[in-house]
Amino acid sequence: MLATLARVATLRRTGLLSGPGSRRELWTGRPQSDTDNMKPLEGVKILDLTRVLAGPFATMNLGDLGAEVIKVERPGAGDDTRTWGPPFVGTESTYFLSVNRNKKLAAICDVFVENYVPGKLSALGLGYADIDRIAPHVVYCSITGYGQTGPLCQRAGYDAVASAVSGLMHITGPEDGDPVRPGVAMTDLATGLYACGAIMAGLIQRYKTGKGLFIDCNLLSSQVACLTQVAANYLIARKEAKRWGTAHGSIVPYQAFKTKDGYLVVGAGNNLQFATLCKIMNVPELIDDCKYKTNHLRVQNRKELIRILSARFEEAMTSEWLHRFEGSGIPYGPINNMKNVFAEPQVLHNGLVMEMKHPTVGKISVPGPAVRYSKFKMSEARPPPLLGQHTTYILKEVLRYDDKAIGLILQIMILKALRENPSSRLNILSRSSVFPHTAHH
């Protein structure tokens, strides 16, 4: 697929592929209309060559802000996450469905996002230097495991491995237990958010200078940067980090407590909150106890204090403790399972369940955007596309290729796919469009 893109780019440069849409149109960053619902990234085209999570999460968020995201996948199989299941909805994994809404294909773009091992795209004529020569306006974002250079740069980047190398896994898990992988791919997600912000900064830079730039995002750097105070404790005081389970190394009490029927997380970040907590739990004698009068003392006497509080929490149901803490000013909340998360009134109020109609399985729901804006609504949710779903539309209606050019592109794709996997012949020829997958925005 990538080699085909390189050939198409070469044909375009030589003029063998042309059409009314072959002229490059730059996005200026200026308002395109006076409508109140103008989205900040309307008019921005993003070519997305990423797979799995960090890259797709970044481009999905950009798509939510109005960008036209163009996702290119390997013919026949597509993104690895299409097969990461169970669970599946029809033939699509819920993993793929969760981070690939609002995407489609085009060859002329403002932003180019990829997550290949450094050097892979350059070998195919699609590296930053190649793109910069023919499209100097492009903001080119490369997402890798460990960076563009250095001793680990050629290693494949996966969340759990980067989580381990970066130290996140070392500080995650029970105090006296083994390291634990976080329940979601936080290193991938953090990298995706860094990439999203970096791309928007790149677009602003281009608006100021008229030129694109190269952005280097990687899992290792993103996660090390997110170690924050844990890293600072080591760098400044050479204090080695440890696992605390649900507790906090510098604040006591601030952790999960077992109740009669579940768990409740409660924190007391200052002396006033601690006093309020003691009153609610009917242990007022702890307020003036010389061992607990300050947070520093509470940290020093953590085990005894937690033992006392834990015994009290186990005396009542979670619902009763929630009632007692309501309006107290204490930070608190239950540990919810997924059923309770999506029944939580505040989650529903915040619009965090997004429904969309999938072309083969009907209505599906995925997590909605985390941020809302006063002057525009987030882009309407559209499902991730089927593999190759919008190829002909993009080539003909967006890129304005004529039938001869489209035929040449498809011929290149079919021949390459057959060489790589002869058994895919019937699958390839049965598709109305076999170019890399695209999706309407």
Side-chain angles (χ1 to χ4, degrees), residues 356-418:
M356 48 193 171
K357 187 174 181 180
H358 192 275
T360 61
V361 298
K363 187 171 72 172
I364 60 174
S365 298
V366 295
V371 180
R372 294 292 186 272
Y373 301 86
S374 64
K375 297 297 183 181
F376 66 91
K377 294 180 180 179
M378 302 296 275
S379 294
E380 179 184 351
R382 298 181 186 273
L386 302 176
L387 197 60
Q389 182 178 346
H390 303 107
T391 298
T392 301
Y393 170 83
I394 296 295
L395 292 175
K396 196 173 188 70
E397 303 299 330
V398 177
L399 298 180
R400 303 292 184 184
Y401 285 129
D402 58 27
D403 290 340
K404 181 179 179 181
I406 293 174
L408 177 58
I409 293 171
L410 297 181
Q411 183 181 21
I412 292 171
M413 283 301 303
I414 291 172
L415 291 174
K416 185 176 189 307
L418 288 174

Side-chain angles (χ1 to χ4, degrees), residues 342-360:
F342 292 106
E344 168 61 51
Q346 190 66 48
V347 169
L348 299 175
H349 174 81
N350 289 355
L352 291 172
V353 178
M354 178 178 283
E355 293 185 346
M356 48 193 171
K357 187 174 181 180
H358 192 275
T360 61

